[in-house]
Amino acid sequence: MADPMYRTIAQELQDEILSGTVQPGDQIPTELELRDKYSASRNTIRDAVKWLASRGLVETKPGQGTFVKQNVKPFLTLLSRDLESGLSGIEGQGWFQDVKERDRIPFATVPLVEVQAAPRHIAQRLRIPVGTQIIIRRQERHIDRTPFALQSTAYPMELHHMGATRLLVAEDVPEGTVTYLEERLGLREIGHRDRILVRAPREDEARFFKLPDDGRVSVVSVVRTGYRAGDNEPVPFRVTFTVFPADRNQFVINSGNVPNDLPEPAEG
Amino acid sequence: MADPMYRTIAQELQDEILSGTVQPGDQIPTELELRDKYSASRNTIRDAVKWLASRGLVETKPGQGTFVKQNVKPFLTLLSRDLESGLSGIEGQGWFQDVKERDRIPFATVPLVEVQAAPRHIAQRLRIPVGTQIIIRRQERHIDRTPFALQSTAYPMELHHMGATRLLVAEDVPEGTVTYLEERLGLREIGHRDRILVRAPREDEARFFKLPDDGRVSVVSVVRTGYRAGDNEPVPFRVTFTVFPADRNQFVINSGNVPNDLPEPAEG
DNA sequence: GCAAATTTGTTCGTATGTATT
DNA sequence: CAATACATACGAACAAATTTG
């Protein structure tokens, strides 16, 4: 009994959830009922429920109650380049198609296009001076009517001058912008590098993903820098920021020779 | 001012931290001082501080105070296979050396070796029946005296019967077990697949990483399945679970042709 | 459409426990 | 041992969201 009371209560509720005594979607007793059941104060009950919410086990809805979270089947995103396994990448190209092939419903907003002066963190990645004009294309993506990812890609304005005019049109590029740039300008992406980091959602992200605004659920941020061939070494020409809520996404990376089945979400 | 008071206070404190008015490592005012400053109750102050802690901006230490978190320079782990960039992988081989090359101090415990009956989630990945005997090797890793990762790898006991006896010795395999298995048994890993997922830490993990035990900081779980050549398609022969605290780790994946500089931690 | 009832969210005040200096 | 600071717990009140009558 070294544990604080709220942890003991949370543990007991967790056991009921994991053992299946209460099913996903079910409402658990209200705070007042739990207060009576455990002879604790309402605040202590709330601490216990908060602890469960931070593990993603329950969801509280003002005016309604607290519910056991549906096990949203996580969506698997393939980050490595070989696309033989039938998994989608994060790029526009086949994303729509790939999601449908996995019997889930994709939806993407019309891109929001803006022109900006490059801030430091983007300038650095594109190896251009801070303040250089860049094109930003933003898109919201949904799967099964659930907000799934926020993506924005930065291109140097130079590409537009070179003839890639569709970059500045607020319209989807069905074949994917990477393919478009190759066909239009002969600009081939010879490789890309992803950086993955996990952080608390920003306020706008929390709103879009309908995450609790207290940072209980993190987001996974994937920063992908795309490279074209250069004189000595590869030269960056685009950087894509994709933000995924951590509670409904998993990622897969293949290296070398692996089976080409469609892997199931992991547990570990 | 539609925001609740604790959010307003948190925002104000956040601005002071981000603007550099208070430096990393500095102690912020105590809860009682903040209570007076903002004419709020101590509970409200605590809600605000909790909000900051969930974003990793501050750290509370009982008996001492609340401190602005040092920006622990995140450690970058390379998940893709090509190792030209000088980044370490997650495997034992060059990990020690690689960390040192980046002027940071590695430390790993002597492996803890146990024999188990394979639980479902491991059996599934190794494609063996549940209950098959497996060898588990566990190791704790530190960087700069900070707990950095928990790793455990499962091998079918069969490998031991085939002659890989060092798998059952509680001693480091300096060249890495993957290399050892290749040299000892001619068992070559032709590829591997990683699954990445983010979740709240388990209790033992929170203890080891010194994370707040209320799930504010997530862990990144990387499940790596290693494959050897098979008759038709690759066959799994080991599965490695590595758990990283999300607040001090980032990951890099290279695909195709990319520069071989050592990338800096990202922000996005 | 509105009012009442229900349920979670926020805030207060207070007391006691536990870790650190 | 004492002082300090965060952690846990209680009780109470009102606000905001939602459902129900």
Side-chain angles (χ1 to χ4, degrees):
Chain A
M1 265 311 196
D3 271 6
M5 192 191 302
Y6 80 94
R7 294 277 280 98
T8 311
I9 295 172
Q11 187 61 53
E12 210 161 306
L13 291 170
Q14 187 188 34
D15 290 346
E16 286 182 28
I17 292 169
L18 295 184
S19 71
T21 311
V22 283
Q23 294 288 315
D26 281 1
Q27 179 171 12
I28 69 172
T30 67
E31 293 173 351
L32 295 185
E33 286 166 348
L34 289 172
R35 164 172 62 84
D36 295 340
K37 175 171 176 186
Y38 290 104
S39 314
S41 78
R42 190 180 150 221
N43 281 328
T44 301
I45 296 297
R46 279 178 62 75
D47 282 345
V49 172
K50 257 183 223 163
W51 191 89
L52 293 171
S54 76
R55 315 273 123 146
L57 286 166
V58 300
E59 188 179 8
T60 60
K61 299 184 184 177
Q64 299 182 58
T66 302
F67 302 83
V68 179
K69 257 207 173 171
Q70 307 277 7
N71 273 341
V72 200
K73 199 178 171 189
F75 192 81
L76 294 184
T77 298
L78 181 73
L79 291 179
S80 51
R81 221 180 183 207
D82 66 271
L83 291 164
E84 304 193 296
S85 64
L87 281 169
S88 76
I90 62 177
E91 250 69 63
Q93 317 120 324
W95 180 80
F96 218 82
Q97 197 58 40
D98 286 340
V99 174
K100 274 199 280 191
E101 273 165 19
R102 283 146 89 190
D103 294 322
R104 304 184 69 163
I105 306 161
F107 169 75
T109 58
V110 172
L112 179 69
V113 179
E114 24 180 301
V115 176
Q116 276 188 12
R120 196 186 54 77
H121 73 281
I122 292 183
Q124 218 165 35
R125 293 197 188 296
L126 290 178
R127 300 210 198 122
I128 56 178
V130 171
T132 308
Q133 296 293 297
I134 54 172
I135 301 171
I136 305 250
R137 294 175 65 90
R138 288 182 207 282
Q139 210 175 33
E140 298 174 357
R141 294 195 185 153
H142 300 248
I143 291 181
D144 297 344
R145 281 172 289 276
T146 305
F148 156 73
L150 275 173
Q151 187 168 84
S152 64
T153 304
Y155 307 88
M157 182 59 85
E158 193 194 359
L159 296 179
H160 183 259
H161 299 330
M162 288 163 65
T165 51
R166 277 168 71 196
L167 286 185
L168 259 179
V169 178
E171 208 176 68
D172 202 34
V173 181
E175 70 271 33
T177 47
V178 173
T179 310
Y180 167 64
L181 288 174
E182 175 160 2
E183 288 169 355
R184 186 73 184 81
L185 304 181
L187 187 72
R188 207 164 75 77
E189 179 167 295
I190 59 171
H192 57 72
R193 176 181 279 159
D194 291 329
R195 269 171 204 63
I196 304 179
L197 59 99
V198 177
R199 57 168 172 78
R202 290 198 306 258
E203 206 177 328
D204 56 329
E205 294 164 345
R207 215 175 18 249
F208 172 64
F209 291 125
K210 296 185 180 61
L211 300 177
D213 67 348
D214 58 358
R216 294 191 293 234
V217 179
S218 311
V219 293
V220 179
S221 169
V222 177
V223 183
R224 169 166 294 182
T225 310
Y227 295 89
R228 61 176 174 83
D231 293 333
N232 302 312
E233 61 169 2
V235 175
F237 72 95
R238 61 118 178 175
V239 51
T240 301
F241 299 83
T242 315
V243 177
F244 303 87
D247 61 350
R248 41 188 179 263
N249 284 284
Q250 293 187 10
F251 304 90
V252 178
I253 303 162
N254 292 329
S255 289
N257 216 326
V258 298
N260 47 22
D261 58 347
L262 203 139
E264 288 296 303
E267 280 159 41
Chain B
M1 249 350 166
D3 272 6
M5 192 189 304
Y6 79 94
R7 292 278 281 98
T8 310
I9 296 173
Q11 187 61 51
E12 210 161 306
L13 291 170
Q14 188 188 33
D15 289 346
E16 286 181 28
I17 292 170
L18 295 185
S19 71
T21 312
V22 283
Q23 293 289 316
D26 282 1
Q27 180 172 10
I28 69 172
T30 67
E31 292 173 351
L32 295 185
E33 287 166 347
L34 289 172
R35 163 171 62 86
D36 295 341
K37 174 171 178 187
Y38 290 102
S39 314
S41 79
R42 194 180 148 225
N43 280 330
T44 301
I45 295 298
R46 279 179 62 74
D47 282 345
V49 172
K50 255 183 226 166
W51 191 88
L52 292 171
S54 75
R55 266 115 285 208
L57 286 166
V58 300
E59 189 178 8
T60 60
K61 298 183 184 177
Q64 298 182 57
T66 302
F67 302 84
V68 179
K69 259 207 174 173
Q70 306 277 8
N71 271 340
V72 201
K73 200 178 170 190
F75 192 81
L76 294 185
T77 298
L78 181 73
L79 291 179
S80 51
R81 224 185 181 201
D82 67 88
L83 291 166
E84 303 194 292
S85 63
L87 281 169
S88 76
I90 62 177
E91 252 69 64
Q93 318 120 326
W95 180 80
F96 219 82
Q97 196 58 39
D98 287 339
V99 175
K100 274 199 280 191
E101 273 164 22
R102 284 148 88 188
D103 294 322
R104 304 186 68 163
I105 306 162
F107 169 75
T109 58
V110 171
L112 179 70
V113 180
E114 25 181 296
V115 176
Q116 277 188 11
R120 194 186 54 77
H121 72 283
I122 292 184
Q124 216 163 35
R125 294 198 187 296
L126 290 178
R127 301 211 199 121
I128 56 178
V130 171
T132 309
Q133 296 292 298
I134 55 172
I135 300 172
I136 305 251
R137 294 175 65 88
R138 286 182 209 282
Q139 210 175 33
E140 299 174 357
R141 293 195 185 154
H142 300 249
I143 291 181
D144 297 344
R145 281 172 291 274
T146 304
F148 157 74
L150 275 173
Q151 187 169 81
S152 64
T153 304
Y155 307 88
M157 181 60 83
E158 194 194 359
L159 297 179
H160 183 259
H161 299 330
M162 288 162 66
T165 51
R166 278 168 69 197
L167 285 185
L168 258 180
V169 178
E171 208 176 67
D172 203 32
V173 180
E175 70 271 32
T177 47
V178 173
T179 310
Y180 167 65
L181 288 175
E182 175 160 3
E183 287 169 355
R184 185 74 184 82
L185 304 181
L187 186 72
R188 208 165 76 76
E189 179 167 295
I190 58 171
H192 56 72
R193 174 180 281 159
D194 291 329
R195 270 172 202 65
I196 303 179
L197 60 100
V198 177
R199 56 167 172 79
R202 290 197 307 257
E203 206 176 331
D204 54 327
E205 294 164 346
R207 216 176 16 250
F208 172 63
F209 292 123
K210 296 186 181 58
L211 299 176
D213 66 348
D214 59 358
R216 293 190 293 233
V217 179
S218 311
V219 292
V220 179
S221 169
V222 177
V223 183
R224 170 167 293 182
T225 309
Y227 295 89
R228 61 176 174 82
D231 294 332
N232 302 312
E233 60 169 4
V235 176
F237 73 95
R238 61 119 179 174
V239 52
T240 301
F241 299 83
T242 314
V243 178
F244 303 86
D247 60 352
R248 41 189 179 263
N249 284 284
Q250 293 187 9
F251 304 90
V252 178
I253 303 161
N254 292 330
S255 289
N257 217 325
V258 298
N260 46 22
D261 58 345
L262 203 141
E264 288 297 302
E267 279 159 42

